[in-house]
Amino acid sequence: MNPDILKERQNATFDVEKLTNMLDGGPEKTKRRREIESMVLNDPDFKEEDPNFLSRSERYDQAVRKSALMILKLREYGIADPEEIYCYKNLVHPDRPEPLDLHLGMFLPTLLNQATPEQMDRFFMPAWNLEIIGTYAQTEMGHGTHLRGLETTATYDPATQEFVLNSPTISSIKWWPGGLGKTSNHAVVLAQLHTQGNNHGLHAFLVQIRDMKTHLPLPGIVVGDIGPKFGFVEVDNGFLKLENVRIPRDNMLMKYAKVEPDGTYLKPPSAKLTYGTMVFVRSMIVGESARALSKACTIVIRYSAVRHQSEIRAGEPEPQILDYQTQQYKLFPLLATAYAFHFVSQYMKETYHRISGDISGGDFSELPELHALAAGLKAFTTWVTNAGIEVCRMSCGGHGYSHSSALPNIYVDFTPACTYEGENTVMMLQTARYLVKCYRQAKAGQRLSGIVSYLNEADHQSVRPQPVAAGTTGVDINDLASLVEIYKRRAAILIELAAKSIQQELQHKSQEEAWNANAIDLVRASDAHCHYVVVKIFTEKVGQIENAEIHSVLSDLGLLYALHGITNNSGDFLQAGLLRVPQVLQISGRIKQLLSQLRPNAVALVDSFDFNDRKLNSVLGRYDGNVYEHMFEWARRSPLNNTEVHESFHKYLKPLRSKL
C-alpha cells in the first residue's frame, strides 16, 4: 500500500463501510453486491485481453463472447432480479457499453410495458432466453429527438391483416440503434401508423430482421453497422432500411393502442404511454451519470493523494497535489455532485417504480410529471457529468491523457448520453413546456401537487424580483434548508419570467414563434428547476442520516454542492434579490473553508463508492495507490512492444540510409 494513500485512510473521520452500506441501501445489499462481484471477478471465463490493445472487430468479438457467457452464467446461478442482473452485467463489461445493452435495457422493458399478455406469451420468454435478440429502432438518420418527425411508416393492409413497413426516404433509414448492426435478429421499430387513410402517429412494432437459423437479413431488410464512433467501440450501432416489409397485425405492441382486424384504430388512454421505454431509460441515465462521475472522482482523488509536485514552501518536499487549494476547488464540488446525483438516481428509481405501479392500475395522473422530470434530470445530470469527467482527466495532468488512467474511455463512452435518448437542449425545452403549463394552471387557481407544488403561490408576489434593501435577505448560507428555499424561489422566478415573456410575444406571434423567441430563457428555467430538485433531494437525504460522523461529512458535501451552484449562477440570485453582493462574497469564503474541512475525508469518500480495481480498470485510481510501477507494467504490454524493432523500420526507415 502506498504510504500516502494509507495515511489518507487513517485520517478519515467516519466509517467508510457504513457509508458504503448507506449508498447501497443497507448492509445486506452491500453483501449481495460483493457476492456478485466475486462471482464475476473470480470466474476465469470472463478473463479478457485489455481492450485498449485490440482492434474494433476484436473488441466487438470479445464483448459478444462475454455477453453470451453472461447469459449462461445468469441462468446457472438463477439470478433473475433486474437490479442483480444489472450489477452482474456491469461487472462482466466494467461500465462499458456492449452489444446486448439495448436488448436488456430497452427491448425487454418495451415488451414488459407495451405488450399484451398474448404477446408476452409469444415473445418475452424467447427474448429472455436470447432466442430472440432485440434492439430498439427509433432514431432515424434525419430525425432523433423530434419524434413526431420520424418518417418510417407502418401501413395496415386489412386484406391480409398485415402491416407494411417502409423507409420512404434516405433520411428515414433507422440509424444508431445499438446491437442492430450485427447482433440482433428482431427490432422494436417506431413507425407512423397509417390505417383507414389516417395517420395515428408513432407506435411500436415488433419486426424480425434476420433469419433465426442463418442470421442473414430477411427479404426487404437492409441492415448493417454504421462504422467507428467517438467511443462505444464494442457496440455495433446499426442502420436499418425497410422495403415493403410485412408483419402480422399482432406484431404491433397493443397493450394500450390497438388496430382491429378491419383496420379500426383504438387510441391509448395517454399518448405518452408510447414513450414509456424512453422515460425508463432516461431515469436510468441519471444513475449512469452518478456512476460515471463517481468513477472519475475516485481515480483523480486517489491519484491526487499519491502524486507529488512543485513546492508550496521553498526547500520543502513536494506536496501531494491534493493539498493545493486549486485542485480541491476543481475536484471536491464534483465529488459533492457525484453524491448528489447518486441520491437523485435513487429518488428517480423509486419515483419511476411508484408511478409505473399507478399506471398499471389505470392511474395516469402523474405520468406528465414523470416524463418532464426524467427529461430534465437526464439533461441536467449528463451535461454536468460530461464536463466533470473532463475536468477530472485534466486534473491528472499528462497521465490523464493515457488510456491507462481509464478517464479517456469513461469520457468517450459517457459523452453520447448528452444526445441519445433525447438531445439535452430539447429535453430541457420539454421540461419547460410542462413547467410553463403548471405555472399557468397555478395562476388560474388550480392546486398543484408533486415536485412543482412550489408554483402554487396565488399571485407569485414572493417570487418576483425585488429591489434589495440594505438589510439582510434572511438567507443563512450555512443552513441547507435555507439554501433549498432560495433555489426554489430562483426556479419559480425564472419559470414566471419565461412564461410572461411568452405571453407578451403571443400578442403578435404564433405559439411556435413565441416559444422559439424565448427558448434560452426556457432552458434556464428548466435548469433552475432541476438544480432545485437536486439540492432538495440531497438536503432531504442528509436529514435522514442518523450516524453522526457520516451526517457531518455529508452535510459539508451538501453545503458545498449548494454554495458552489450559487457561485456559478450568482447573477440569477442577485438579480432576483435572493442574495446581496456581500453574501456572495461570504459564500466564496465559506467554500474555501469547506474545501479544507473535506480534505481529510476526500479519499475515504471515494473509497465509499467501493469500486473494485477490476471494475475501475485504472492504473491511476488503484486502491493501493501504487501508480508508477503499474503504469510502467501497463505500457510494456502495448502491442508495439511485441518486437524490439518494428517492421516499419526495415520497410521504410532503414532504406532511407542508402538513399542519403
Side-chain angles (χ1 to χ4, degrees), residues 52 70 241 272 395 507 510 528 580:
N52 290 298
M70 174 183 73
K241 189 172 187 290
K272 286 186 169 62
S395 298
Q507 295 175 18
S510 69
R580 294 179 294 112

Side-chain angles (χ1 to χ4, degrees), residues 135-163:
T135 187
Y136 189 85
Q138 175 177 292
T139 300
E140 297 172 358
M141 191 187 293
H143 285 94
T145 306
H146 179 54
L147 299 182
R148 291 193 301 277
L150 295 179
E151 301 175 82
T152 304
T153 59
T155 305
Y156 185 64
D157 180 357
T160 60
Q161 294 195 23
E162 292 174 314
F163 290 101

Side-chain angles (χ1 to χ4, degrees), residues 186-486:
H186 281 70
V188 169
V189 175
L190 272 287
Q192 303 285 353
L193 167 62
H194 293 262
T195 180
Q196 296 181 338
N198 296 311
N199 180 2
H200 295 285
L202 279 187
H203 289 72
F205 301 85
L206 195 61
V207 181
Q208 184 178 342
I209 59 175
R210 286 186 170 92
D211 185 273
M212 298 297 283
K213 292 182 179 177
T214 66
H215 206 59
L216 290 170
L218 294 176
I221 299 288
V222 181
V223 63
D225 178 80
I226 65 170
K229 308 156 300 275
F230 185 67
F232 274 54
V233 179
E234 283 93 348
V235 181
D236 54 325
N237 296 86
F239 60 78
L240 174 64
K241 189 172 187 290
L242 299 157
E243 299 174 340
N244 294 312
V245 175
R246 288 180 170 266
I247 62 170
R249 181 182 68 88
D250 53 6
N251 272 35
M252 171 182 160
L253 297 181
M254 295 199 206
K255 183 175 182 179
Y256 299 112
K258 294 179 174 61
V259 172
E260 301 284 17
D262 66 355
T264 301
Y265 176 73
L266 304 176
K267 67 179 183 180
S270 169
K272 286 186 169 62
L273 287 168
T274 308
Y275 310 140
T277 302
M278 285 192 309
V279 174
F280 168 73
V281 174
R282 287 170 188 165
S283 299
M284 294 285 287
I285 289 172
V286 176
E288 294 296 337
S289 298
R291 274 182 291 279
L293 190 54
S294 298
K295 288 180 74 175
C297 286
T298 300
I299 292 165
V300 67
I301 287 175
R302 285 179 178 170
Y303 177 61
S304 296
V306 301
R307 175 76 171 186
H308 291 250
Q309 192 155 305
S310 302
E311 296 176 340
I312 292 179
R313 297 180 183 86
E316 292 189 3
E318 291 181 298
Q320 298 160 280
I321 59 174
L322 198 55
D323 285 337
Y324 287 98
Q325 189 184 72
T326 49
Q327 189 79 342
Q328 295 167 13
Y329 189 68
K330 291 175 191 174
L331 303 183
F332 293 177
L334 290 175
L335 176 60
T337 303
Y339 271 86
F341 288 178
H342 183 91
F343 299 139
V344 171
S345 169
Q346 290 177 335
Y347 171 84
M348 280 302 296
K349 185 164 63 175
E350 292 164 4
T351 302
Y352 176 82
H353 287 308
R354 176 177 59 78
I355 295 177
S356 293
D358 293 342
I359 290 169
S360 298
D363 179 1
F364 304 102
S365 60
E366 291 190 79
L367 183 56
E369 178 174 324
L370 176 63
H371 186 268
L373 190 61
L377 287 175
K378 179 266 182 190
F380 184 85
T381 59
T382 56
W383 264 334
V384 172
T385 297
N386 188 56
I389 295 167
E390 181 64 354
V391 170
C392 291
R393 188 192 67 76
M394 290 190 290
S395 298
C396 288
H399 290 323
Y401 190 65
S402 168
H403 277 277
S404 68
S405 73
L407 289 165
N409 286 326
I410 295 172
Y411 182 77
V412 299
D413 285 334
F414 184 80
T415 292
C418 294
T419 47
Y420 66 56
E421 294 312 306
E423 192 278 329
N424 279 359
T425 301
V426 179
M427 292 296 92
M428 282 299 196
L429 289 170
Q430 285 186 9
T431 301
R433 194 174 299 278
Y434 174 75
L435 294 173
V436 169
K437 180 182 177 182
C438 289
Y439 167 80
R440 290 171 176 167
Q441 289 173 340
K443 195 76 170 170
Q446 292 185 41
R447 202 73 190 156
L448 302 176
S449 60
I451 205 76
V452 292
S453 59
Y454 64 90
L455 296 173
N456 275 326
E457 289 141 88
D459 61 0
H460 294 268
Q461 287 291 337
S462 62
V463 300
R464 288 178 181 165
Q466 301 290 334
V468 182
T472 180
T473 58
V475 176
D476 181 356
I477 67 166
N478 292 299
D479 178 56
L480 273 170
S482 187
L483 297 177
V484 170
E485 182 65 23
I486 64 168

